[in-house]
Amino acid sequence: MNILYIIGNGFDVAQGLNTRYKDFYPYYLKCDSPNEAVKTMKKEIDEKIDDWSDMELALGKFTKNVNSSEELTDMYFDLSEKLAEYLQKESQRKVFNQNLKFLQDLFEPDRYLEPLDQRYYKAHYNAHYDRDQRITHIDIITLNYTSTIEWLLGPVNKRNMTIGNTFYNVSNVCHRHGMLGDTILIGVNDEQQISNESFKQDRSVKDLLVKPMAIDAMRSDNDLTCKELIHNASIIVLFGVSIGETDANLWKDVVNRLKGGDAMLLYFHHSDDIIPANRKQLLGVKEARARDYLYSHLGLPENLQLNNKVLVGYNKDIFKIKGDKKVTSQSGKFENT
């Protein structure tokens, strides 16, 4: 039995980290600009910040204002390196250690589903569970650059737990877009998301800006690893993801796995709405809207919407973990509070 998680920035936000693009821009706009091209991009961000809510999609559109591949290269690396710098500082603001609740949530996500959906989940799980091996493998694809997940998982040899008669272990963590301390990727899904027509024919630009081509240009196997993990998953869990256009290939792979007929999808949706526990009808309305969002953004065929293999959890406490703040002591060293 393989359970795959695809985790987005909402995970880090749930841990209290300010890792949204809107959190990054004030920091970025204050940084020194190495040339006029970067200044022009910053001016665009400052004046049209709402249009840059999805930075990767906005960067693809902004290419229409860029005169050369050399200018774009300067902009790209200034943006990506300052983003990495900001995220590194932000991720160091809290201390995260191996967390039992996090492991339990990974191994038993159905605890956060409503009773009827729990029945559907358990029926699917039992149908795919190998009672001879009695092992459930957990794989994680993270779209984040931070190491928050690794910190909460703890040492590799301790990422396991026995619940009842089942042994659970975390087998793989794949940072699809790279991670801090190494190269990180920002970009678009395909050349159609690049507005500059001449750049669509420029291999050097596409190797920089189009994610699948950039991954290949780096000779990374992240894309293939993600495809394999999706293909082998019996249950796919989405958490903290926006299902954006710049990762369209990833979501296409998820849909293709569901079309195979023997996989289940769990989608945990977060909203700032607070629904009292005694208003479950209203909760059902909100959940239906979250379901419609999922269907439309994934482009899920109608036959897959009606087979009880797509379950939605609305504003659940899964993966809500508190990290300790870092404070500077008189000696200048960091200590846990």
Side-chain angles (χ1 to χ4, degrees):
M1 162 64 77
N2 290 355
I3 301 177
L4 170 67
Y5 284 84
I6 302 179
I7 287 177
N9 186 53
F11 180 85
D12 279 356
V13 172
Q15 313 317 316
L17 297 177
N18 300 316
T19 52
R20 296 183 176 95
Y21 290 136
K22 70 176 184 180
D23 300 317
F24 162 63
Y25 291 140
Y27 174 88
Y28 182 54
L29 295 175
K30 292 178 182 178
C31 293
D32 292 336
S33 301
N35 53 46
E36 289 302 317
V38 171
K39 288 181 181 179
T40 299
M41 180 175 63
K42 285 185 176 181
K43 185 173 185 293
E44 169 88 3
I45 294 172
D46 191 27
E47 293 177 350
K48 301 179 180 179
I49 199 158
D50 289 341
D51 294 342
W52 282 75
S53 58
D54 184 329
M55 187 180 75
E56 294 175 314
L57 205 58
L59 182 59
K61 293 177 180 178
F62 184 71
T63 58
K64 67 179 181 293
N65 302 310
V66 182
N67 297 315
S68 67
S69 60
E70 290 78 15
E71 277 192 3
L72 181 64
T73 299
D74 287 345
M75 292 175 178
Y76 178 92
F77 283 112
D78 188 73
L79 189 62
S80 65
E81 289 169 4
K82 291 300 189 296
L83 176 62
E85 185 179 283
Y86 170 79
L87 292 175
Q88 188 69 55
K89 291 180 179 180
E90 181 62 21
S91 64
Q92 291 173 347
R93 191 169 55 80
K94 290 194 173 187
V95 178
F96 294 99
N97 298 309
Q98 186 178 48
N99 187 279
L100 180 60
K101 180 183 182 298
F102 177 57
L103 289 174
Q104 289 175 324
D105 288 355
L106 275 176
F107 300 149
E108 296 186 313
D110 55 305
R111 296 186 301 140
Y112 294 94
L113 298 175
E114 299 301 322
L116 181 60
D117 289 337
Q118 286 182 355
R119 285 177 176 260
Y120 294 141
Y121 179 93
K122 288 175 181 176
H124 179 85
Y125 182 94
N126 291 334
H128 293 79
Y129 177 64
D130 189 329
R131 284 174 172 73
D132 293 326
Q133 294 187 356
R134 295 190 298 179
I135 297 176
T136 295
H137 297 285
I138 306 295
D139 298 309
I140 300 173
I141 295 173
T142 174
L143 307 182
N144 301 337
Y145 310 118
T146 63
S147 298
T148 315
I149 289 172
E150 284 85 352
W151 294 335
L152 291 170
L153 285 172
V156 173
N157 63 342
K158 293 184 179 181
R159 298 174 181 180
N160 51 62
M161 182 184 298
T162 300
I163 302 176
N165 294 320
T166 300
F167 179 76
Y168 296 85
N169 82 296
V170 180
S171 303
N172 298 283
V173 180
C174 178
H175 285 258
R176 189 170 191 266
H177 301 151
M179 61 189 302
L180 299 180
D182 198 352
T183 299
I184 68 169
L185 295 178
I186 58 174
V188 297
N189 183 75
D190 52 62
E191 63 185 37
Q192 299 308 313
Q193 294 175 350
I194 299 175
S195 293
N196 188 316
E197 292 296 326
S198 66
F199 285 168
K200 291 180 180 180
Q201 313 304 321
D202 190 326
R203 180 61 187 263
S204 66
V205 169
K206 292 190 288 185
D207 281 351
L208 184 72
L209 199 57
V210 177
K211 287 178 183 174
M213 295 183 67
I215 291 172
D216 186 61
M218 292 165 56
R219 309 311 296 160
S220 168
D221 66 347
N222 274 1
D223 207 21
L224 287 175
T225 297
C226 291
K227 289 179 182 294
E228 291 167 355
L229 293 178
I230 292 170
H231 177 75
N232 293 327
S234 297
I235 297 172
I236 300 173
V237 185
L238 307 183
F239 181 87
V241 295
S242 60
I243 318 181
E245 298 174 55
T246 55
D247 286 305
N249 285 353
L250 179 70
W251 309 127
K252 182 178 179 180
D253 289 339
V254 169
V255 172
N256 286 338
R257 180 69 186 100
L258 295 175
K259 287 179 178 178
D262 61 346
M264 169 174 275
L265 180 68
L266 273 67
Y267 171 58
F268 286 98
H269 182 90
H270 173 76
S271 168
D272 292 331
D273 293 337
I274 299 176
I275 310 298
N278 62 342
R279 296 185 180 182
K280 288 193 174 180
Q281 300 95 324
L282 181 56
L283 180 63
V285 171
K286 298 288 187 178
E287 183 183 295
R289 291 177 183 172
R291 190 181 295 272
D292 289 341
Y293 172 90
L294 176 69
Y295 292 161
S296 63
H297 280 69
L298 280 183
L300 205 64
E302 187 172 350
N303 65 307
L304 295 181
Q305 300 176 20
L306 304 173
N307 63 1
N308 297 323
K309 292 295 182 66
V310 178
L311 309 178
V312 175
Y314 183 85
N315 275 9
K316 302 299 183 180
D317 286 335
I318 185 171
F319 298 146
K320 287 189 177 179
I321 315 297
K322 292 184 178 180
D324 294 326
K325 293 181 179 178
K326 282 185 176 179
V327 296
T328 306
S329 68
Q330 291 182 350
S331 64
K333 296 180 180 179
F334 284 117
E335 298 175 347
N336 293 348
T337 58

